[in-house]
Amino acid sequence: MAETTKPAAAKTALPKEVFNVEVSNHELLKLAYDSYLAQSRGANATTLQRGEVRGGGKKPWKQKGTGRARFGSSRNPIWRGGGVVFGPRGNENFTKKLSTTSKRVAVKQALTLANQAKKVTVKDVKTTGKTSEVVKFLEDNKLARKTLIVVDQKTPELLRATANIQSVLLISATYLSVYHILNADHIVLSTKSVPVIKNWLVKEEA
Protein backbone atom coordinates (compact mmCIF):
# COMPACT_ATOMS: atom_id res chain seq x y z
CA MET A 1 0.00 0.00 0.00
CA ALA A 2 1.13 3.51 -0.77
CA GLU A 3 2.09 5.61 2.20
CA THR A 4 -0.38 8.33 3.03
CA THR A 5 1.17 11.70 3.75
CA LYS A 6 -0.44 14.07 6.16
CA PRO A 7 -1.52 17.38 4.65
CA ALA A 8 0.69 20.28 5.65
CA ALA A 9 -0.76 22.59 8.26
CA ALA A 10 -2.24 25.74 6.78
CA LYS A 11 0.01 28.71 7.29
CA THR A 12 -1.61 31.55 9.19
CA ALA A 13 -1.52 34.71 7.11
CA LEU A 14 -0.59 37.91 8.84
CA PRO A 15 -3.19 40.67 8.30
CA LYS A 16 -1.83 43.49 6.16
CA GLU A 17 -3.76 46.05 8.22
CA VAL A 18 -1.41 45.30 11.13
CA PHE A 19 1.82 43.85 9.74
CA ASN A 20 2.16 45.86 6.54
CA VAL A 21 1.31 49.48 7.32
CA GLU A 22 3.12 52.58 6.17
CA VAL A 23 5.94 53.77 8.42
CA SER A 24 6.83 57.21 7.09
CA ASN A 25 9.01 58.13 10.07
CA HIS A 26 9.90 56.82 13.51
CA GLU A 27 8.69 59.81 15.51
CA LEU A 28 5.52 58.11 16.78
CA LEU A 29 7.50 54.96 17.66
CA LYS A 30 9.88 57.07 19.73
CA LEU A 31 7.00 58.76 21.55
CA ALA A 32 5.35 55.42 22.33
CA TYR A 33 8.66 53.91 23.47
CA ASP A 34 9.39 56.84 25.80
CA SER A 35 5.80 56.80 27.06
CA TYR A 36 6.14 53.16 28.13
CA LEU A 37 9.37 53.86 30.01
CA ALA A 38 7.90 56.96 31.63
CA GLN A 39 4.94 54.94 32.95
CA SER A 40 7.30 52.73 34.95
CA ARG A 41 9.45 55.57 36.25
CA GLY A 42 8.97 56.17 39.95
CA ALA A 43 9.40 59.48 41.78
CA ASN A 44 11.76 58.12 44.42
CA ALA A 45 14.17 61.04 44.79
CA THR A 46 13.33 63.52 47.55
CA THR A 47 15.19 66.49 48.98
CA LEU A 48 14.77 68.57 52.12
CA GLN A 49 13.83 72.20 51.95
CA ARG A 50 15.26 74.84 54.26
CA GLY A 51 12.60 74.36 56.90
CA GLU A 52 13.03 70.58 56.95
CA VAL A 53 16.80 70.35 57.44
CA ARG A 54 17.81 69.49 60.97
CA GLY A 55 19.68 72.17 62.97
CA GLY A 56 20.42 75.74 62.01
CA GLY A 57 18.27 77.27 64.72
CA LYS A 58 21.07 79.43 66.08
CA LYS A 59 22.32 82.45 64.19
CA PRO A 60 25.86 81.61 62.96
CA TRP A 61 27.26 84.98 64.05
CA LYS A 62 25.98 88.33 65.13
CA GLN A 63 24.34 90.57 62.59
CA LYS A 64 26.91 93.38 62.55
CA GLY A 65 30.52 94.01 63.35
CA THR A 66 32.11 90.84 61.98
CA GLY A 67 32.70 92.06 58.43
CA ARG A 68 31.02 88.98 57.05
CA ALA A 69 27.75 88.73 55.21
CA ARG A 70 24.65 88.54 57.36
CA PHE A 71 23.15 85.08 57.86
CA GLY A 72 20.29 83.95 59.99
CA SER A 73 20.72 80.20 59.66
CA SER A 74 23.37 77.69 58.65
CA ARG A 75 20.62 75.83 56.77
CA ASN A 76 20.44 78.53 54.14
CA PRO A 77 20.33 76.90 50.66
CA ILE A 78 23.67 78.47 49.64
CA TRP A 79 25.42 76.81 52.58
CA ARG A 80 26.79 73.29 52.49
CA GLY A 81 24.35 71.05 54.34
CA GLY A 82 21.55 73.53 53.85
CA GLY A 83 18.18 73.06 52.23
CA VAL A 84 17.68 72.39 48.52
CA VAL A 85 15.86 74.86 46.32
CA PHE A 86 13.48 73.45 43.70
CA GLY A 87 14.68 69.89 44.33
CA PRO A 88 12.59 66.74 43.76
CA ARG A 89 9.84 66.21 46.31
CA GLY A 90 8.73 62.64 45.52
CA ASN A 91 5.43 63.68 43.95
CA GLU A 92 6.62 64.34 40.40
CA ASN A 93 4.58 62.92 37.56
CA PHE A 94 6.81 61.68 34.73
CA THR A 95 4.09 60.05 32.63
CA LYS A 96 3.78 61.07 29.00
CA LYS A 97 0.27 61.01 27.63
CA LEU A 98 -0.37 59.33 24.31
CA SER A 99 -3.84 58.73 22.92
CA THR A 100 -5.14 55.18 22.55
CA THR A 101 -5.35 55.60 18.78
CA SER A 102 -1.73 56.77 18.59
CA LYS A 103 -0.58 53.85 20.73
CA ARG A 104 -2.30 51.35 18.45
CA VAL A 105 -0.85 52.96 15.33
CA ALA A 106 2.61 52.81 16.92
CA VAL A 107 2.18 49.11 17.76
CA LYS A 108 1.16 48.40 14.14
CA GLN A 109 4.21 50.27 12.90
CA ALA A 110 6.47 48.32 15.26
CA LEU A 111 4.96 45.01 14.14
CA THR A 112 5.40 46.04 10.51
CA LEU A 113 9.10 46.77 11.04
CA ALA A 114 9.53 43.46 12.90
CA ASN A 115 7.79 41.61 10.08
CA GLN A 116 9.94 43.31 7.46
CA ALA A 117 13.02 42.27 9.43
CA LYS A 118 11.70 38.68 9.40
CA LYS A 119 11.48 38.52 13.18
CA VAL A 120 7.84 37.38 13.30
CA THR A 121 6.91 33.68 13.37
CA VAL A 122 3.45 32.16 13.79
CA LYS A 123 3.76 28.95 15.81
CA ASP A 124 2.06 27.42 18.81
CA VAL A 125 4.24 26.66 21.81
CA LYS A 126 2.94 23.39 23.22
CA THR A 127 4.00 22.52 26.74
CA THR A 128 2.78 20.61 29.77
CA GLY A 129 4.45 23.12 32.05
CA LYS A 130 8.05 21.93 31.74
CA THR A 131 10.79 24.44 31.06
CA SER A 132 12.74 21.86 29.03
CA GLU A 133 9.90 21.70 26.49
CA VAL A 134 10.09 25.43 25.79
CA VAL A 135 13.89 25.30 25.66
CA LYS A 136 13.66 22.53 23.05
CA PHE A 137 11.11 24.58 21.08
CA LEU A 138 13.53 27.51 21.02
CA GLU A 139 16.44 25.32 19.96
CA ASP A 140 14.46 23.56 17.21
CA ASN A 141 13.35 26.88 15.73
CA LYS A 142 16.74 28.54 16.25
CA LEU A 143 15.28 31.24 18.46
CA ALA A 144 18.22 32.56 20.39
CA ARG A 145 18.62 35.75 22.41
CA LYS A 146 15.47 37.74 23.33
CA THR A 147 12.26 35.97 22.29
CA LEU A 148 8.79 37.47 22.74
CA ILE A 149 6.01 34.87 22.88
CA VAL A 150 2.56 36.35 22.24
CA VAL A 151 -0.55 34.32 23.10
CA ASP A 152 -4.26 35.04 23.11
CA GLN A 153 -4.43 34.03 26.76
CA LYS A 154 -1.79 33.00 29.26
CA THR A 155 -2.16 29.49 30.65
CA PRO A 156 -0.71 28.17 33.92
CA GLU A 157 1.40 25.69 31.92
CA LEU A 158 2.96 28.40 29.75
CA LEU A 159 3.56 30.67 32.72
CA ARG A 160 5.31 27.88 34.61
CA ALA A 161 7.34 26.74 31.61
CA THR A 162 8.65 30.21 30.67
CA ALA A 163 9.10 31.69 34.15
CA ASN A 164 12.74 30.58 34.53
CA ILE A 165 13.92 31.37 31.00
CA GLN A 166 15.58 34.76 31.14
CA SER A 167 15.58 35.34 27.38
CA VAL A 168 11.83 34.67 26.99
CA LEU A 169 8.98 37.06 27.70
CA LEU A 170 5.41 35.76 27.65
CA ILE A 171 2.74 38.37 27.00
CA SER A 172 -0.95 38.49 26.12
CA ALA A 173 -1.85 39.83 22.68
CA THR A 174 -3.76 42.87 23.94
CA TYR A 175 -0.83 43.93 26.14
CA LEU A 176 1.67 44.29 23.31
CA SER A 177 3.70 47.47 23.41
CA VAL A 178 6.24 49.18 21.18
CA TYR A 179 8.85 48.65 23.90
CA HIS A 180 8.40 44.86 23.91
CA ILE A 181 8.33 44.58 20.13
CA LEU A 182 11.38 46.72 19.40
CA ASN A 183 13.46 45.05 22.12
CA ALA A 184 12.72 41.51 20.92
CA ASP A 185 15.04 39.64 18.57
CA HIS A 186 12.30 37.13 17.73
CA ILE A 187 8.51 37.34 18.04
CA VAL A 188 6.51 34.11 18.20
CA LEU A 189 2.76 34.57 17.70
CA SER A 190 0.37 31.79 18.59
CA THR A 191 -2.23 30.95 15.95
CA LYS A 192 -5.09 32.24 18.08
CA SER A 193 -3.28 35.47 18.96
CA VAL A 194 -3.22 36.76 15.36
CA PRO A 195 -7.01 37.46 15.08
CA VAL A 196 -6.97 38.88 18.62
CA ILE A 197 -4.23 41.34 17.64
CA LYS A 198 -6.14 42.31 14.49
CA ASN A 199 -9.41 42.89 16.36
CA TRP A 200 -7.57 44.95 18.96
CA LEU A 201 -5.57 47.17 16.62
CA VAL A 202 -7.88 47.54 13.62
CA LYS A 203 -10.91 49.67 14.33
CA GLU A 204 -13.96 48.39 12.56
CA GLU A 205 -15.66 51.00 10.44
CA ALA A 206 -19.26 51.69 11.26
Side-chain angles (χ1 to χ4, degrees):
M1 295 178 61
E3 293 183 0
T4 57
T5 57
K6 295 182 179 179
K11 186 177 180 181
T12 304
L14 296 175
K16 295 182 179 180
E17 305 92 327
V18 176
F19 294 88
N20 191 21
V21 299
E22 182 182 356
V23 185
S24 56
N25 59 65
H26 296 169
E27 183 177 353
L28 182 59
L29 288 171
K30 180 67 166 59
L31 289 175
Y33 193 95
D34 290 344
S35 176
Y36 180 90
L37 292 177
Q39 295 289 345
S40 58
R41 181 179 177 182
N44 299 322
T46 57
T47 55
L48 299 178
Q49 294 181 342
R50 176 173 179 169
E52 299 169 329
V53 180
R54 186 176 179 181
K58 182 181 178 181
K59 190 174 175 67
W61 50 75
K62 62 181 184 178
Q63 182 81 350
K64 298 182 182 227
T66 63
R68 291 180 288 186
R70 64 188 76 177
F71 276 104
S73 173
S74 60
R75 295 303 173 235
N76 190 297
I78 69 174
W79 277 45
R80 182 177 181 180
V84 177
V85 180
F86 305 127
R89 301 294 295 163
N91 56 0
E92 289 77 19
N93 183 5
F94 297 109
T95 58
K96 296 182 179 181
K97 292 184 178 180
L98 200 63
S99 67
T100 301
T101 302
S102 298
K103 287 180 181 178
R104 291 178 179 176
V105 171
V107 171
K108 288 190 289 186
Q109 290 182 352
L111 288 172
T112 296
L113 294 177
N115 187 35
Q116 291 174 353
K118 298 182 179 180
K119 295 182 179 180
V120 182
T121 306
V122 181
K123 285 189 178 180
D124 291 321
V125 182
K126 297 180 181 180
T127 177
T128 59
K130 295 181 179 179
T131 302
S132 59
E133 295 172 342
V134 178
V135 171
K136 186 177 185 305
F137 171 85
L138 297 175
E139 292 175 350
D140 292 343
N141 293 277
K142 298 180 181 180
L143 301 174
R145 303 179 68 181
K146 296 180 181 178
T147 301
L148 179 65
I149 299 178
V150 184
V151 294
D152 60 318
Q153 188 175 5
K154 294 180 181 179
T155 62
E157 291 78 16
L158 272 175
L159 286 169
R160 187 165 62 250
T162 58
N164 292 327
I165 306 178
Q166 189 175 3
S167 61
V168 172
L169 175 63
L170 179 68
I171 193 169
S172 299
T174 53
Y175 284 89
L176 268 175
S177 71
V178 171
Y179 178 85
H180 293 138
I181 298 169
L182 295 183
N183 283 348
D185 296 308
H186 304 284
I187 301 175
V188 179
L189 305 176
S190 68
T191 306
K192 293 183 179 179
S193 70
V194 175
V196 174
I197 294 173
K198 180 181 178 181
N199 293 335
W200 172 49
L201 295 178
V202 180
K203 185 178 180 181
E204 297 295 339
E205 297 182 358

